[in-house]
């Protein structure tokens, strides 16, 4: 199997993992504590494998593409946060639901958006260069966004005694991934390891989703009535992000491949990074993690649609209608 095939069909793997996890958790409740214990190391491994695919060495290179970078930063860190704030005004007064949506919708994706950009005839090179910038800025800006938009008492919800494991699970794999990248830059063996790690995120995310379902089956079933609300918000967010990406790309005079990449960047969110924070919250806030998982699965269905919509409708190649061979991203 090719890696591209695995990534193209990943949504079905995750749905199977959720179904299996809910069945196991319901039929064997005693597995919940074991799944909860396994969840953190598997999540840390997932983040490590994911972060190794984020080229931190490309950080300076990213700023050489001034118009594309400005468009991506404006869209992801100014326009979309404003749109998220507007969407929150119509959400029921459920603080856990609101916090879950804020956590996941405010952070742009740094992993599978590269794959979707490539599959959707975007510019994978610029997508790759953009990812470390997105990762660094979201880690810095997320606390500010939450302080401005959340009605929850963040000092209680994010008490240091509860969430310090989440920071370890995020920051330790990030540090190890940077060291691995340095090793890969100096050694063929290291480069081969990074290449192999590129296969890991999809099966590891499936394992994480399965473990979350087993460990939190009660919360998942109890919060099932929230699915239509989350679905509506995710669909509206995706529609808004696509419209904004078209407007920003036109204003910045981006070419077709850059515009498509911008659309995939603005339409995808970074559930991997915020999931540890959601899982570390104190008792009573389990809904936050459920919402994050719901969003990530719904987003994948949205990306299946976007693989058709973005290159054919939102950023169509005019030569395709004249019978010429469509342009491909570099």
């Amino acid at each position: 199997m090719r890696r591209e095939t695995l990534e193209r069909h990943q949504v079905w793997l995750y749905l199977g993992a959720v179904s299996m996890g809910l069945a196991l958790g319901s039929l064997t409740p005693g597995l919940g504590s074991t799944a909860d214990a396994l969840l953190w190391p598997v999540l840390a491994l997932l983040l490590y494998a994911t972060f190794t695919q984020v080229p931190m060495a490309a950080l300076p290179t990213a700023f050489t593409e001034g118009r594309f970078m400005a468009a991506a930063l404006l869209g992801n860190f100014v326009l979309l946060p404003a749109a998220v704030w507007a969407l929150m005004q119509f959400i029921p007064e459920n603080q856990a639901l609101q916090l879950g949506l804020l956590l996941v919708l405010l952070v742009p994706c740094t992993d599978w958006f590269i794959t979707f950009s490539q599959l959707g005839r975007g510019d994978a090179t610029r997508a790759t260069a953009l990812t470390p910038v997105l990762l660094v800025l979201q880690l810095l800006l997320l606390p500010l966004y939450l302080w401005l938009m959340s009605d929850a008492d963040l000092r209680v919800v994010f008490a240091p005694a509860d969430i310090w494991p989440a920071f370890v699970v995020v920051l330790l794999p990030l540090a190890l991934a940077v060291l691995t990248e340095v090793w890969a830059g100096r050694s063929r063996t290291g480069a081969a390891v990074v290449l192999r790690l590129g296969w890991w995120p999809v099966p590891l995310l499936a394992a994480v989703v399965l473990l979350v379902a087993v460990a939190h089956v009660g919360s998942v079933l109890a919060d099932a009535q929230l699915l239509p609300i989350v679905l509506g918000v995710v669909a509206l967010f995706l529609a808004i992000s696509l419209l904004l990406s078209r407007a920003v790309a036109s204003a910045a005079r981006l070419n077709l491949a850059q515009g498509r990449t911008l659309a995939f960047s603005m339409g995808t969110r970074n559930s991997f990074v915020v999931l540890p924070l959601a899982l570390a919250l104190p008792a009573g806030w389990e809904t936050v993690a459920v919402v994050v998982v719901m969003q990530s699965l719904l987003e994948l269905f949205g990306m299946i649609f976007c693989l058709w919509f973005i290159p054919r409708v939102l950023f169509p190649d005019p030569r395709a209608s004249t019978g010429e061979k469509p342009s491909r991203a570099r």
Side-chain angles (χ1 to χ4, degrees):
M1 178 188 294
R2 296 173 58 195
R3 177 176 158 185
E4 181 179 301
T5 303
L6 176 65
E7 292 171 339
R8 185 183 289 273
H9 299 288
Q10 59 189 302
V11 62
W12 310 115
L13 181 61
Y14 303 146
L15 287 175
V18 168
S19 302
M20 184 182 297
L22 292 176
L24 287 173
S26 300
L27 296 174
T28 317
L31 285 177
S33 57
T34 302
D36 199 37
L38 291 173
L39 179 56
W40 289 98
V42 174
L43 184 54
L45 189 57
L46 166 64
L47 288 172
Y48 168 69
T50 301
F51 288 150
T52 60
Q53 308 306 302
V54 177
M56 299 303 290
L59 194 58
T61 306
F63 292 95
T64 62
E65 297 291 342
R67 282 186 295 147
F68 174 73
M69 181 57 59
L73 297 186
L74 174 66
N76 280 300
F77 295 109
V78 178
L79 299 180
L80 284 181
V84 170
W85 177 84
L87 287 172
M88 289 301 106
Q89 310 313 304
F90 301 96
I91 300 301
E93 293 187 7
N94 179 325
Q95 289 189 337
L97 169 63
Q98 292 177 352
L99 183 58
L101 289 170
L102 285 172
L103 272 176
V104 75
L105 294 181
L106 288 169
V107 288
C109 186
T110 58
D111 37 76
W112 63 39
F113 112 82
I114 301 176
T115 299
F116 287 119
S117 295
Q118 187 170 18
L119 293 174
R121 302 209 301 271
D123 190 327
T125 301
R126 284 179 175 83
T128 303
L130 177 62
T131 51
V133 182
L134 296 179
L135 180 61
V136 171
L137 285 179
Q138 68 187 246
L139 293 175
L140 294 175
L141 291 175
L142 181 60
L144 174 62
Y145 290 145
L146 293 178
W147 178 72
L148 290 172
M149 300 185 197
S150 177
D151 293 331
D153 187 345
L154 299 180
R155 292 172 298 179
V156 175
V157 177
F158 293 103
D162 292 319
I163 67 165
W164 70 265
F167 283 104
V168 172
V169 167
V170 173
L171 297 179
L172 183 59
L174 179 59
L176 291 175
V178 171
L179 293 176
T180 303
E181 183 179 344
V182 173
W183 177 40
R186 299 176 178 178
S187 164
R188 289 184 179 179
T189 302
V193 168
V194 169
L195 188 63
R196 289 184 178 275
L197 285 172
W199 284 81
W200 289 25
V202 172
L204 284 174
L205 180 57
V208 166
V209 169
L210 184 147
L211 292 171
V212 169
V214 172
H216 300 276
V217 61
S219 299
V220 172
L221 297 178
D223 291 326
Q225 77 279 2
L226 297 178
L227 181 59
I229 299 174
V230 177
L231 173 59
V233 173
V234 170
L236 279 172
F237 176 86
L238 180 58
I240 292 169
S241 70
L242 294 177
L243 291 174
L244 287 175
S245 68
R246 176 70 261 189
V248 172
S250 296
R253 301 191 305 278
L254 302 183
N255 64 36
L256 281 179
Q258 291 172 340
R260 293 165 183 164
T261 304
L262 178 66
F264 281 110
S265 173
M266 293 177 64
T268 51
R269 304 289 91 186
N270 206 349
S271 56
F272 295 169
V273 166
V274 298
L275 184 57
L277 291 174
L279 291 170
L281 297 183
W285 292 86
E286 292 83 2
T287 296
V288 176
V290 174
V291 169
V292 170
V293 173
M294 283 182 180
Q295 186 279 336
S296 62
L297 294 174
L298 292 171
E299 179 182 289
L300 282 167
F301 281 106
M303 288 303 105
I304 293 174
F305 164 75
C306 285
L307 286 176
W308 169 81
F309 181 78
I310 289 175
R312 291 175 175 81
V313 179
L314 194 65
F315 292 96
D317 192 328
R319 288 178 291 182
S321 61
T322 62
E324 294 182 40
K325 186 177 181 180
S327 63
R328 298 183 62 86
R330 291 192 298 271

